Amino acid sequence: MIDIQLLRNDGDGVAKRLATRGIDLDWPLFRELEDQRKKVQTSTEYFQSQRNALSKQIGQAKAKKDEKQVAELMAQVAEFGDKLKQMEAENAAIQAKLHEFVDAIPNLPHESVPVGDSPEQNVEQRRWGKPGKFDFAAKDHVDVGAGLGMLDFETAAKLAGARFAVMKGPVARLHRALAQFMLDVHTREHGYTEVYVPYMVSGECANGVTSLAKFRGDLFKIEERDLYLIPTAETPVTNFVRGEIVPLERLPLKYVCHSPCFRSEAGAAGKDTRGMIRNHQFDKVELVQIVHPAKSWQGHEELTAHAEAILQRLELPYRVVTLCTGDTGFASAKTYDLEVWLPGQNAYREISSCSNFEAFQARRMQARFRNEKGKAEPVHTLNGSGLAVGRTLIAILENFQNADGSVTIPAALRPYMGGMEKIARS
RNA sequence: GGAGAGAUGGCAGAGUGGUCGAUUGCGGCAGACUCGAAAUCUGUUGUACCCGUGAGGGUACCGGGGGUUCGAAUCCCUCUCUCUCCGCCA
C-alpha cells in the first residue's frame, strides 16, 4: 500500500511517478471519494459522540433512580438513532471504496529506476563470467535430460498435466544438492537464519505482500480450506512480522527458506512451454530481509550480492539487470534481475529477482518497528531468490554438458554429490 | 473424530450490562534520595484513524466477524486459535 498521506498531499507527484509505470491514477476520483469520506466520517463520529454522552447520562440517571430523566434521555437518543445507523453504514461503504482504490495502486518506483514500458528498456548493470564455447551443437536442458534418461516430462504430464517435471537418479540428487548448497552458503556465510514454513497461506497473508484482488488468478487455491498454495516463500516468510512491532535491536531480520512454489501461470499460455523453465511447481531458496528504513537500499545491494555469490560459485555466467519502471513488480520500488546464461536458448534468462519494497508491504501487513524515538513506524522489506533451484539445475545441465551427453558437476557441488564429478547415462 | 476449558494492554492477571481504554502487579521511561548503584518513593507508560495552522477535541479497538441494547470486555450467534482428556494416525 502506498502512503495515503502522500496521496492526499501530493497527488500530482504520485500520479507522475505512477505514470512511468503505465498507471493512470484517477486523482479526481480519489479527491471526490476523500471529500465524501471526510463529510461522512466527521458526522458519523459526531453522532457517535452524542450517543455516547447521552448513554452515559442514562447510566447516571439510573444510578440515581431518576426514572423521569431516564425517559427523557431515552427519547432524545431515539431521535437520532436511525440517523446514526444510516451514517455508520454510509461511512463503512465509503471507507471500503477508498480502501479498494488505494489497495490497487502499485508501489512508486525509486528515482534510480530507469523509465520504460517494456523489458527492452531494462538496463544491464554488469556481467560476470563468459558464456562457454562448445565445439559441438549445445543442446537445451530437455534434450540433455532426456539423453541422460533422468528428466521425464511425459511421466509428469501423465501424473498432473503440462508444466510439471519428473527427475530421476543423479539429476534428482543434483536438484537436492543445489538447495542444500544454497542454504549452507546463506546461513554460514551471509548471516541468514534458516526457516521452514507452511506451503499454504491465508488470503490475508497473500494480500500482505501483493494485491490479492489483482493477482488471485495467479495462485492455486485450496477451496475447502480457504488457503492458497504459496507462489514463493516470500509470502509466508515476510508475513512473519505481520501485525508485529519489532524491537529496534532485533533488526535486521534475515531469513532464508527453501520451499516449493506453486503458480498457475494463467497469463503465460504458450510461453516457455518446453521443459522446466516455467512450471506450475518449482523449488526456490528465498532470501528475505526485514530492515530499518535507513538501511534498505544498502540491504538491497547486499542481498543481490548474496544471490550472485551462488552463481559465481557454480561458475555460471550471468548478468545483472535493473528492471525499468514498466517491468517492475506491483509491490517493488526497485528490482534487480539476475539472468543466467543458457546455451540451449543462446540467451540470458531470469534466475533471481531481488527487490526492495520499502514500506509498501509493511503498510499492508502493519509490520512495524519501534524507532529511535520510541514511535512505531513501518519496517522495510526486501527479498530475492537465492536462487530458483529448478532454473539453476537447467543452467548446469546446459552450461556443463559435454559432447558425449554427460554433464560435469561444478566443483562446489561435488561434496553434496558424494564426490561425483560427472553425470552420465548408466 | 468425541468431551471439556480458555483467548483482556510489553508480560502476568482482575473485571459478567452503565463515568471501563479498562483495578492491580511486573517490566519500560522520567524524577526524588545516593558519590554512583541497589532498595525505596513519586509521576508516567497502547494502537489506529478523523477534525483543527495550533492549542485542543473526537471516534474505534478487551482473538476475528455479526447481532441484542440508549449503552457491551461483560449477553446471544458464528468463525479462528490455544490448552486438557479420550480415540485414531505418519
Side-chain angles (χ1 to χ4, degrees):
Chain A
M1 207 158 65
I2 68 164
D3 184 355
I4 194 154
Q5 297 299 345
L6 192 65
L7 194 56
R8 285 184 186 130
N9 300 332
D10 184 21
D12 282 345
V14 170
K16 269 195 197 118
R17 292 173 72 185
L18 286 174
T20 67
R21 299 189 54 138
I23 301 292
D24 184 18
L25 178 71
D26 195 346
W27 169 243
L29 173 65
F30 176 73
R31 285 306 300 261
E32 198 186 306
L33 290 172
E34 266 288 282
D35 286 346
Q36 262 185 66
R37 189 223 90 223
K38 231 178 240 195
K39 251 186 268 166
V40 174
Q41 183 172 348
T42 307
S43 68
T44 302
E45 290 183 357
Y46 168 76
F47 282 118
Q48 285 173 328
S49 118
Q50 289 299 300
R51 184 219 37 213
N52 290 348
L54 286 170
S55 293
K56 211 170 245 188
Q57 287 178 41
I58 292 173
Q60 289 165 346
K62 282 228 167 156
K64 282 187 277 184
K65 304 237 186 287
D66 187 343
E67 291 305 327
K68 189 171 157 244
Q69 200 195 352
V70 169
E72 275 170 25
L73 290 165
M74 298 272 267
Q76 268 186 63
V77 175
E79 270 178 43
F80 59 83
D82 288 344
K83 181 77 182 158
L84 175 59
K85 273 220 167 67
Q86 184 197 325
M87 293 307 293
E88 281 178 336
E90 221 172 293
N91 187 41
I94 185 78
Q95 299 276 8
K97 225 188 247 180
L98 210 42
H99 183 263
E100 197 182 318
F101 182 91
V102 176
D103 192 81
I105 300 174
N107 202 357
L108 303 177
H110 187 253
E111 56 200 6
S112 67
V113 173
V115 174
D117 54 16
S118 79
E120 285 86 71
Q121 271 116 49
N122 295 343
V123 175
E124 183 176 305
Q125 299 298 321
R126 55 186 173 272
R127 289 187 181 207
W128 185 93
K130 283 226 163 33
K133 293 256 188 294
F134 295 91
D135 47 16
F136 58 94
K139 293 181 280 194
D140 79 350
H141 71 280
V142 178
D143 290 338
V144 174
L148 291 169
M150 300 174 193
L151 208 45
D152 181 353
F153 296 100
E154 286 72 34
T155 302
K158 184 167 76 180
L159 301 177
R163 293 198 190 280
F164 288 95
V166 165
M167 292 174 252
K168 296 174 189 162
V171 166
R173 184 174 184 182
L174 184 64
H175 184 258
R176 170 162 59 92
L178 279 168
Q180 303 296 325
F181 167 69
M182 292 175 194
L183 284 168
D184 282 347
V185 171
H186 294 311
T187 54
R188 291 180 190 158
E189 298 175 36
H190 298 150
Y192 290 80
T193 301
E194 182 173 351
V195 293
Y196 171 87
V197 299
Y199 300 152
M200 305 174 202
V201 294
S202 65
E204 290 82 70
C205 281
N207 197 54
V209 292
T210 186
S211 169
L212 185 56
K214 273 186 130 89
F215 300 105
R216 195 186 302 275
D218 297 340
L219 304 177
F220 286 112
K221 185 168 191 205
I222 312 288
E223 287 297 342
E224 55 278 10
R225 293 299 302 270
D226 203 25
L227 292 171
Y228 298 87
L229 290 178
I230 59 170
T232 158
E234 164 197 0
T235 307
V237 177
T238 307
N239 273 283
F240 279 13
V241 291
R242 176 158 139 264
E244 299 286 323
I245 298 178
V246 182
L248 181 63
E249 64 274 12
R250 286 196 53 212
L251 296 179
L253 297 169
K254 294 166 72 179
Y255 297 116
V256 59
C257 182
H258 168 221
S259 83
C261 306
F262 304 93
R263 300 187 182 180
S264 75
E265 299 296 350
K271 214 193 276 181
D272 295 318
T273 49
R274 182 176 162 82
M276 49 183 286
I277 286 265
R278 190 179 298 277
N279 278 182
H280 287 311
Q281 173 185 318
F282 62 95
D283 275 29
K284 186 154 60 69
V285 170
E286 183 77 358
L287 303 172
V288 172
Q289 293 193 17
I290 313 292
V291 305
H292 190 289
K295 301 274 180 63
S296 72
W297 291 106
Q298 184 195 332
H300 186 223
E301 298 297 329
E302 287 171 4
L303 184 145
T304 305
H306 295 153
E308 283 180 67
I310 301 295
L311 287 164
Q312 292 176 10
R313 299 219 190 173
L314 295 175
E315 306 160 59
L316 292 168
Y318 69 93
R319 61 175 193 162
V320 181
V321 164
T322 304
L323 298 192
C324 71
T325 49
D327 204 24
T328 301
F330 178 81
S332 174
K334 182 177 182 178
T335 300
Y336 291 127
D337 268 9
L338 307 189
E339 298 181 343
V340 70
W341 177 254
L342 293 186
Q345 298 201 355
N346 204 40
Y348 284 100
R349 292 300 307 261
E350 178 191 338
I351 196 165
S352 171
S353 204
C354 302
S355 303
N356 183 0
F357 303 93
E358 297 191 294
F360 189 85
Q361 296 181 324
R363 276 187 224 103
R364 299 177 80 91
M365 297 187 298
Q366 299 219 51
R368 291 162 296 172
F369 74 106
R370 206 158 293 281
N371 68 19
E372 292 78 356
K373 289 179 184 143
K375 279 290 281 181
E377 183 189 338
V379 294
H380 279 195
T381 58
L382 307 164
N383 71 53
S385 346
L387 307 160
V389 178
R391 288 192 179 178
T392 308
L393 182 81
I394 290 172
I396 288 172
L397 294 182
E398 296 196 6
N399 282 282
F400 286 81
Q401 62 181 299
N402 302 308
D404 65 1
S406 67
V407 173
T408 303
I409 296 169
L413 289 176
R414 288 178 196 166
Y416 295 86
M417 294 292 287
M420 196 188 292
E421 291 178 13
K422 203 184 254 193
I423 299 176
R425 187 169 188 112
S426 55

